[in-house]
Amino acid sequence: MARVDRELFSTEIVNRGIEDSGPYAGSVNISVRVRRALPDFLSSVDLKYVKLGYHYLISSGFYYVAAPVLCGILGVEIGKVIAWKYSSPEILYVYLGLVPRSTYLVDFACFRPPDEFKISKEEFIELARKSGKYSDGAIVFQEGVLKRSGIGDETYLPRAVFRPEPTITLKDGREEASMVIHGVVDELLSATKVQPQDIGILVVNCGFLSPTPSLSAMLINHYRLRQDIHSFNLGGMGCAAGVIAVDLARDLLAAHPGQYALVVSTEAVSYTWYDGNDFDMLLPNCFFRMGAAAVLLSSCHLDRWRSKYELKQLVRTHKGAEERSFRCIHMKEDTRGARGLSVSKDVIGIGGNALKDNITTLGPLVLPVSEQLHFFNNFLFKKETSKPYLPNYKLAFEHVCILATSRKVLDEIQKNLDLTDEYMEASRRTLERFGNTSSSSIWYELAYLEANSRIRKGDRVWQLAFGSGFKCNSVVWKALKSTRQHSHNPWIDPLRVEARI
């Protein structure tokens, strides 16, 4: 096998214990497991994604270059008729109309479930065993996955998933969704002092629970939102849907200026729960945990002073045209008819390819000119025996929030992007404390940075999310102010805050 092919695989020695029977009874059974690993980003760069990044850069930059020129010409023409001082308001109005509106993140909140939902890894296995739903092999498999997952002992799960009953009902899913969604929206509205009637755009994303009426309709009913609200409910889009929801809200704010947009990202863990014995479908049980995030966006210029962040770039990469990518994460039924989410063993390699394409497109939008020149010089004039130059993305961002999927995935991304432990801290701590909360995970990570007073005015934050399809999405925010600790932050102990007050 060629060297470049070997780099796409990783090996793992698995101790399967002592053979109980057969000709090898009493001997140690050891096997070698071969898995696909993240591709070596240095080994190949697809030029079409580089071109795509510069296309986005030139397209958005055209407005900022052309607007002043057009306004200057208009001012000269108007100046021939009336005095300049009388025409300046009209020119300012035209300029603001030509330049795309900025999207501001006023504030966000993440749901922290009550302590009664906390579950340790030991209790997880104990309840799974008592439920009677799993074979001994399935129990051992889940125990091993949890041990290597990077998840701690204070994550949250609804106990209903361990009931002896054969299936989780739609009622269970609705009750969980109602608790986390209403809880997080209450916190956000309380923090921003925005009235429900002021919200003109609503986008809710939840991968698997898609009831009728929808979750967005549930929010409209609960908060008595206005009749002319633009509401959308995104389903089946996986962990990357949080960035997609922000993208949709940005477009809607551009079409309907002067509105507030509420984005809610969650996943109903109870409704995705699998109670069978197929290993590929047991993986989500081990990683997914309860959580939700609510984000308030605005495109109004007057909201800049009170907002925390400004949206700078958003890049979405969809690999669904490739059959392997399309099928690597999908919902199915096992041989007994039990429904669950199946995760392919190739998902890390597929995700790595999607990540490579996404950051190749993102690079021209965020990297300093010096890094881009260095990259192109190496790309165009490199020797055949040398590897292409990987730009230093640490020069583009002060903070990185990578979807907290698993310890192995975070390790691979850190190695391939050459990120320091400090850049990975928010992702690793979120995985340990809250587990994989799906599309809301990147918001728990940003909340961690705020809780530790890491965000300073002018800092750039890169949120990176992966999802079924297969998708890799990036969004970049610029901090408009230095953040302080807030009582609605999920990382802040409310009892400690009350005692300090």
CSV table of all heavy atoms in Angstrom, one decimal, residues 326-372:
chain,number,residue,atom,x,y,z
A,326,PHE,N,-23.2,11.0,1.9
A,326,PHE,CA,-24.7,11.0,2.1
A,326,PHE,C,-25.1,10.0,3.1
A,326,PHE,O,-26.0,10.2,4.0
A,326,PHE,CB,-25.4,10.8,0.8
A,326,PHE,CG,-26.9,10.7,0.9
A,326,PHE,CD1,-27.6,11.9,1.2
A,326,PHE,CD2,-27.5,9.5,0.7
A,326,PHE,CE1,-29.0,11.8,1.3
A,326,PHE,CE2,-28.9,9.4,0.8
A,326,PHE,CZ,-29.7,10.6,1.1
A,327,ARG,N,-24.5,8.8,3.1
A,327,ARG,CA,-25.0,7.7,3.9
A,327,ARG,C,-24.2,7.4,5.2
A,327,ARG,O,-24.6,6.5,6.0
A,327,ARG,CB,-25.0,6.4,3.1
A,327,ARG,CG,-25.9,6.4,1.9
A,327,ARG,CD,-26.0,5.0,1.2
A,327,ARG,NE,-26.9,5.1,0.1
A,327,ARG,CZ,-28.2,5.0,0.2
A,327,ARG,NH1,-28.8,4.8,1.4
A,327,ARG,NH2,-29.0,5.0,-0.8
A,328,CYS,N,-23.3,8.3,5.5
A,328,CYS,CA,-22.4,8.0,6.7
A,328,CYS,C,-23.1,8.2,8.0
A,328,CYS,O,-22.8,7.5,9.0
A,328,CYS,CB,-21.1,8.8,6.6
A,328,CYS,SG,-21.3,10.5,7.0
A,329,ILE,N,-24.1,9.0,8.1
A,329,ILE,CA,-25.0,9.2,9.3
A,329,ILE,C,-26.4,9.2,8.8
A,329,ILE,O,-26.8,10.1,8.1
A,329,ILE,CB,-24.7,10.5,10.0
A,329,ILE,CG1,-23.2,10.6,10.4
A,329,ILE,CG2,-25.6,10.7,11.2
A,329,ILE,CD1,-22.8,11.9,11.1
A,330,HIS,N,-27.2,8.2,9.2
A,330,HIS,CA,-28.6,8.2,8.8
A,330,HIS,C,-29.4,7.4,9.8
A,330,HIS,O,-28.9,6.5,10.5
A,330,HIS,CB,-28.7,7.6,7.4
A,330,HIS,CG,-28.4,6.1,7.3
A,330,HIS,ND1,-27.1,5.7,7.3
A,330,HIS,CD2,-29.2,5.0,7.2
A,330,HIS,CE1,-27.1,4.4,7.2
A,330,HIS,NE2,-28.3,3.9,7.2
A,331,MET,N,-30.7,7.7,9.8
A,331,MET,CA,-31.6,7.0,10.7
A,331,MET,C,-32.2,5.8,10.0
A,331,MET,O,-32.5,5.8,8.8
A,331,MET,CB,-32.8,8.0,11.0
A,331,MET,CG,-33.8,7.3,12.0
A,331,MET,SD,-35.0,8.5,12.7
A,331,MET,CE,-34.0,9.1,14.1
A,332,LYS,N,-32.2,4.7,10.7
A,332,LYS,CA,-32.7,3.5,10.1
A,332,LYS,C,-33.3,2.6,11.2
A,332,LYS,O,-33.3,3.0,12.4
A,332,LYS,CB,-31.5,2.7,9.5
A,332,LYS,CG,-30.5,2.2,10.4
A,332,LYS,CD,-29.5,1.3,9.7
A,332,LYS,CE,-28.5,0.6,10.7
A,332,LYS,NZ,-27.5,-0.2,10.0
A,333,GLU,N,-33.8,1.4,10.8
A,333,GLU,CA,-34.3,0.4,11.8
A,333,GLU,C,-33.5,-0.8,11.7
A,333,GLU,O,-33.0,-1.2,10.6
A,333,GLU,CB,-35.8,0.1,11.4
A,333,GLU,CG,-36.7,1.3,11.6
A,333,GLU,CD,-38.2,0.9,11.1
A,333,GLU,OE1,-38.3,-0.1,10.4
A,333,GLU,OE2,-39.1,1.6,11.5
A,334,ASP,N,-33.2,-1.4,12.9
A,334,ASP,CA,-32.4,-2.6,12.9
A,334,ASP,C,-33.3,-3.8,12.5
A,334,ASP,O,-34.5,-3.7,12.2
A,334,ASP,CB,-31.7,-2.8,14.3
A,334,ASP,CG,-32.7,-3.0,15.4
A,334,ASP,OD1,-33.9,-3.2,15.1
A,334,ASP,OD2,-32.3,-2.9,16.6
A,335,THR,N,-32.8,-5.0,12.7
A,335,THR,CA,-33.5,-6.2,12.3
A,335,THR,C,-34.8,-6.4,13.1
A,335,THR,O,-35.7,-7.1,12.7
A,335,THR,CB,-32.6,-7.4,12.4
A,335,THR,OG1,-32.0,-7.5,13.7
A,335,THR,CG2,-31.5,-7.3,11.3
A,336,ARG,N,-34.8,-5.9,14.4
A,336,ARG,CA,-36.0,-6.0,15.2
A,336,ARG,C,-37.0,-4.9,15.0
A,336,ARG,O,-38.0,-4.9,15.7
A,336,ARG,CB,-35.5,-6.0,16.7
A,336,ARG,CG,-34.6,-7.2,17.1
A,336,ARG,CD,-34.4,-7.2,18.6
A,336,ARG,NE,-33.9,-5.9,19.1
A,336,ARG,CZ,-34.6,-5.0,19.8
A,336,ARG,NH1,-35.9,-5.2,20.1
A,336,ARG,NH2,-34.0,-3.9,20.2
A,337,GLY,N,-36.6,-3.9,14.2
A,337,GLY,CA,-37.5,-2.8,13.9
A,337,GLY,C,-37.3,-1.6,14.8
A,337,GLY,O,-38.0,-0.6,14.8
A,338,ALA,N,-36.3,-1.7,15.7
A,338,ALA,CA,-35.9,-0.6,16.6
A,338,ALA,C,-35.3,0.5,15.8
A,338,ALA,O,-34.3,0.3,15.0
A,338,ALA,CB,-35.0,-1.1,17.7
A,339,ARG,N,-35.8,1.7,16.0
A,339,ARG,CA,-35.3,2.9,15.2
A,339,ARG,C,-34.1,3.6,16.0
A,339,ARG,O,-34.1,3.6,17.2
A,339,ARG,CB,-36.4,3.9,15.1
A,339,ARG,CG,-36.1,5.1,14.2
A,339,ARG,CD,-37.1,6.2,14.4
A,339,ARG,NE,-37.0,6.8,15.7
A,339,ARG,CZ,-38.1,6.9,16.5
A,339,ARG,NH1,-39.3,6.5,16.1
A,339,ARG,NH2,-37.9,7.4,17.7
A,340,GLY,N,-33.1,4.0,15.2
A,340,GLY,CA,-32.0,4.7,15.8
A,340,GLY,C,-31.1,5.4,14.7
A,340,GLY,O,-31.4,5.2,13.5
A,341,LEU,N,-30.1,6.1,15.2
A,341,LEU,CA,-29.2,6.8,14.3
A,341,LEU,C,-28.0,6.0,14.1
A,341,LEU,O,-27.3,5.6,15.0
A,341,LEU,CB,-28.8,8.2,14.9
A,341,LEU,CG,-28.0,9.1,14.0
A,341,LEU,CD1,-28.8,9.6,12.8
A,341,LEU,CD2,-27.6,10.3,14.8
A,342,SER,N,-27.7,5.6,12.8
A,342,SER,CA,-26.5,4.8,12.5
A,342,SER,C,-25.4,5.7,12.1
A,342,SER,O,-25.5,6.6,11.3
A,342,SER,CB,-26.9,3.9,11.3
A,342,SER,OG,-25.7,3.2,10.9
A,343,VAL,N,-24.2,5.5,12.7
A,343,VAL,CA,-23.0,6.2,12.4
A,343,VAL,C,-22.0,5.3,11.8
A,343,VAL,O,-21.6,4.3,12.4
A,343,VAL,CB,-22.4,6.9,13.7
A,343,VAL,CG1,-21.2,7.7,13.4
A,343,VAL,CG2,-23.5,7.8,14.3
A,344,SER,N,-21.6,5.6,10.6
A,344,SER,CA,-20.6,4.8,9.8
A,344,SER,C,-19.2,4.9,10.5
A,344,SER,O,-18.8,5.9,11.0
A,344,SER,CB,-20.5,5.2,8.4
A,344,SER,OG,-19.4,4.7,7.7
A,345,LYS,N,-18.4,3.8,10.3
A,345,LYS,CA,-17.1,3.8,10.9
A,345,LYS,C,-16.2,4.7,10.0
A,345,LYS,O,-15.1,5.1,10.4
A,345,LYS,CB,-16.5,2.4,10.9
A,345,LYS,CG,-16.5,1.7,9.5
A,345,LYS,CD,-16.1,0.3,9.7
A,345,LYS,CE,-16.1,-0.5,8.4
A,345,LYS,NZ,-15.8,-1.9,8.5
A,346,ASP,N,-16.7,5.2,8.8
A,346,ASP,CA,-15.9,6.1,8.0
A,346,ASP,C,-16.2,7.5,8.3
A,346,ASP,O,-15.7,8.4,7.5
A,346,ASP,CB,-16.2,5.8,6.5
A,346,ASP,CG,-15.8,4.4,6.1
A,346,ASP,OD1,-14.8,3.9,6.7
A,346,ASP,OD2,-16.4,3.8,5.1
A,347,VAL,N,-17.0,7.8,9.3
A,347,VAL,CA,-17.4,9.2,9.5
A,347,VAL,C,-16.3,10.2,9.7
A,347,VAL,O,-16.3,11.3,9.3
A,347,VAL,CB,-18.4,9.2,10.6
A,347,VAL,CG1,-17.8,8.9,12.0
A,347,VAL,CG2,-19.2,10.6,10.7
A,348,ILE,N,-15.2,9.7,10.4
A,348,ILE,CA,-14.1,10.6,10.7
A,348,ILE,C,-13.4,11.0,9.4
A,348,ILE,O,-13.1,12.2,9.2
A,348,ILE,CB,-13.1,10.0,11.7
A,348,ILE,CG1,-13.8,9.9,13.1
A,348,ILE,CG2,-11.9,10.8,11.8
A,348,ILE,CD1,-12.9,9.3,14.2
A,349,GLY,N,-13.1,10.1,8.5
A,349,GLY,CA,-12.5,10.4,7.3
A,349,GLY,C,-13.3,11.3,6.4
A,349,GLY,O,-12.9,12.2,5.8
A,350,ILE,N,-14.7,11.0,6.4
A,350,ILE,CA,-15.6,11.8,5.6
A,350,ILE,C,-15.7,13.2,6.1
A,350,ILE,O,-15.7,14.2,5.4
A,350,ILE,CB,-17.0,11.1,5.5
A,350,ILE,CG1,-16.9,9.8,4.7
A,350,ILE,CG2,-18.0,12.0,5.0
A,350,ILE,CD1,-18.1,8.9,4.9
A,351,GLY,N,-15.8,13.3,7.4
A,351,GLY,CA,-15.8,14.6,8.1
A,351,GLY,C,-14.5,15.4,7.8
A,351,GLY,O,-14.6,16.6,7.6
A,352,GLY,N,-13.4,14.7,7.8
A,352,GLY,CA,-12.1,15.4,7.5
A,352,GLY,C,-12.1,16.0,6.1
A,352,GLY,O,-11.6,17.1,6.0
A,353,ASN,N,-12.6,15.3,5.2
A,353,ASN,CA,-12.6,15.8,3.8
A,353,ASN,C,-13.5,17.0,3.7
A,353,ASN,O,-13.2,18.0,3.0
A,353,ASN,CB,-13.1,14.7,2.8
A,353,ASN,CG,-12.0,13.7,2.5
A,353,ASN,OD1,-10.8,14.1,2.3
A,353,ASN,ND2,-12.3,12.5,2.5
A,354,ALA,N,-14.7,17.0,4.4
A,354,ALA,CA,-15.6,18.1,4.4
A,354,ALA,C,-15.0,19.3,5.1
A,354,ALA,O,-15.1,20.5,4.6
A,354,ALA,CB,-16.9,17.7,5.1
A,355,LEU,N,-14.2,19.1,6.2
A,355,LEU,CA,-13.5,20.1,6.9
A,355,LEU,C,-12.5,20.8,6.0
A,355,LEU,O,-12.3,22.0,5.9
A,355,LEU,CB,-12.9,19.6,8.2
A,355,LEU,CG,-12.0,20.5,8.9
A,355,LEU,CD1,-12.7,21.8,9.4
A,355,LEU,CD2,-11.4,19.8,10.1
A,356,LYS,N,-11.7,19.9,5.3
A,356,LYS,CA,-10.7,20.5,4.4
A,356,LYS,C,-11.2,21.4,3.4
A,356,LYS,O,-10.7,22.5,3.1
A,356,LYS,CB,-9.9,19.3,3.7
A,356,LYS,CG,-8.8,19.7,2.8
A,356,LYS,CD,-8.2,18.6,2.1
A,356,LYS,CE,-9.1,18.0,1.1
A,356,LYS,NZ,-8.5,16.9,0.2
A,357,ASP,N,-12.4,21.0,2.7
A,357,ASP,CA,-13.0,21.8,1.7
A,357,ASP,C,-13.5,23.1,2.3
A,357,ASP,O,-13.5,24.2,1.7
A,357,ASP,CB,-14.1,21.1,1.0
A,357,ASP,CG,-13.6,19.9,0.2
A,357,ASP,OD1,-12.3,19.8,-0.1
A,357,ASP,OD2,-14.4,19.0,-0.1
A,358,ASN,N,-14.1,23.0,3.5
A,358,ASN,CA,-14.7,24.2,4.1
A,358,ASN,C,-13.7,25.2,4.5
A,358,ASN,O,-13.8,26.4,4.2
A,358,ASN,CB,-15.5,23.8,5.4
A,358,ASN,CG,-16.2,24.9,6.0
A,358,ASN,OD1,-15.7,25.6,6.9
A,358,ASN,ND2,-17.4,25.2,5.6
A,359,ILE,N,-12.6,24.8,5.1
A,359,ILE,CA,-11.6,25.8,5.5
A,359,ILE,C,-10.8,26.3,4.3
A,359,ILE,O,-10.2,27.4,4.4
A,359,ILE,CB,-10.6,25.2,6.6
A,359,ILE,CG1,-9.8,24.1,6.0
A,359,ILE,CG2,-11.3,24.8,7.8
A,359,ILE,CD1,-8.7,23.5,6.9
A,360,THR,N,-10.7,25.6,3.2
A,360,THR,CA,-10.1,26.1,2.0
A,360,THR,C,-10.9,27.2,1.4
A,360,THR,O,-10.3,28.2,0.9
A,360,THR,CB,-10.0,24.9,1.0
A,360,THR,OG1,-9.2,23.8,1.5
A,360,THR,CG2,-9.3,25.4,-0.3
A,361,THR,N,-12.2,27.1,1.5
A,361,THR,CA,-13.1,28.2,1.1
A,361,THR,C,-13.0,29.4,2.1
A,361,THR,O,-13.1,30.6,1.7
A,361,THR,CB,-14.5,27.7,0.9
A,361,THR,OG1,-14.6,26.6,0.0
A,361,THR,CG2,-15.5,28.8,0.4
A,362,LEU,N,-13.0,29.1,3.3
A,362,LEU,CA,-13.0,30.1,4.4
A,362,LEU,C,-11.7,30.9,4.4
A,362,LEU,O,-11.7,32.1,4.7
A,362,LEU,CB,-13.2,29.5,5.7
A,362,LEU,CG,-13.3,30.4,7.0
A,362,LEU,CD1,-14.5,31.3,6.9
A,362,LEU,CD2,-13.3,29.6,8.3
A,363,GLY,N,-10.6,30.3,4.1
A,363,GLY,CA,-9.3,30.9,4.2
A,363,GLY,C,-9.1,32.3,3.6
A,363,GLY,O,-8.7,33.2,4.2
A,364,PRO,N,-9.5,32.5,2.3
A,364,PRO,CA,-9.4,33.8,1.7
A,364,PRO,C,-10.2,34.9,2.3
A,364,PRO,O,-9.9,36.1,2.2
A,364,PRO,CB,-9.9,33.6,0.2
A,364,PRO,CG,-9.7,32.1,0.0
A,364,PRO,CD,-9.9,31.5,1.3
A,365,LEU,N,-11.2,34.5,3.1
A,365,LEU,CA,-12.1,35.5,3.7
A,365,LEU,C,-11.5,35.9,5.1
A,365,LEU,O,-11.9,37.0,5.6
A,365,LEU,CB,-13.5,34.9,4.0
A,365,LEU,CG,-14.2,34.4,2.7
A,365,LEU,CD1,-15.5,33.7,3.1
A,365,LEU,CD2,-14.5,35.5,1.8
A,366,VAL,N,-10.7,35.1,5.7
A,366,VAL,CA,-10.3,35.4,7.1
A,366,VAL,C,-8.8,35.6,7.3
A,366,VAL,O,-8.3,36.2,8.2
A,366,VAL,CB,-10.8,34.4,8.0
A,366,VAL,CG1,-12.3,34.4,8.0
A,366,VAL,CG2,-10.3,33.0,7.7
A,367,LEU,N,-8.0,34.9,6.4
A,367,LEU,CA,-6.5,34.9,6.6
A,367,LEU,C,-5.9,36.3,6.3
A,367,LEU,O,-6.3,36.9,5.3
A,367,LEU,CB,-5.9,33.8,5.8
A,367,LEU,CG,-6.1,32.4,6.3
A,367,LEU,CD1,-5.7,31.4,5.2
A,367,LEU,CD2,-5.4,32.1,7.6
A,368,PRO,N,-4.8,36.7,7.0
A,368,PRO,CA,-4.1,37.9,6.6
A,368,PRO,C,-3.5,37.7,5.2
A,368,PRO,O,-3.2,36.6,4.8
A,368,PRO,CB,-3.0,37.9,7.7
A,368,PRO,CG,-3.5,37.1,8.8
A,368,PRO,CD,-4.3,36.0,8.2
A,369,VAL,N,-3.3,38.8,4.6
A,369,VAL,CA,-2.7,38.8,3.2
A,369,VAL,C,-1.4,38.1,3.2
A,369,VAL,O,-1.1,37.4,2.2
A,369,VAL,CB,-2.6,40.3,2.7
A,369,VAL,CG1,-2.0,40.3,1.3
A,369,VAL,CG2,-4.0,40.9,2.6
A,370,SER,N,-0.6,38.3,4.2
A,370,SER,CA,0.8,37.7,4.2
A,370,SER,C,0.6,36.2,4.2
A,370,SER,O,1.4,35.5,3.5
A,370,SER,CB,1.5,38.1,5.4
A,370,SER,OG,0.8,37.8,6.6
A,371,GLU,N,-0.3,35.6,4.9
A,371,GLU,CA,-0.5,34.1,4.9
A,371,GLU,C,-1.0,33.7,3.6
A,371,GLU,O,-0.6,32.6,3.1
A,371,GLU,CB,-1.5,33.7,6.0
A,371,GLU,CG,-0.9,33.6,7.4
A,371,GLU,CD,0.1,32.5,7.4
A,371,GLU,OE1,-0.3,31.3,7.3
A,371,GLU,OE2,1.3,32.8,7.6
A,372,GLN,N,-1.9,34.4,2.9
A,372,GLN,CA,-2.4,34.0,1.6
A,372,GLN,C,-1.3,34.0,0.6
A,372,GLN,O,-1.3,33.2,-0.3
A,372,GLN,CB,-3.6,34.9,1.2
A,372,GLN,CG,-4.8,34.9,2.2
A,372,GLN,CD,-6.0,35.6,1.7
A,372,GLN,OE1,-6.3,35.5,0.5
A,372,GLN,NE2,-6.6,36.3,2.5
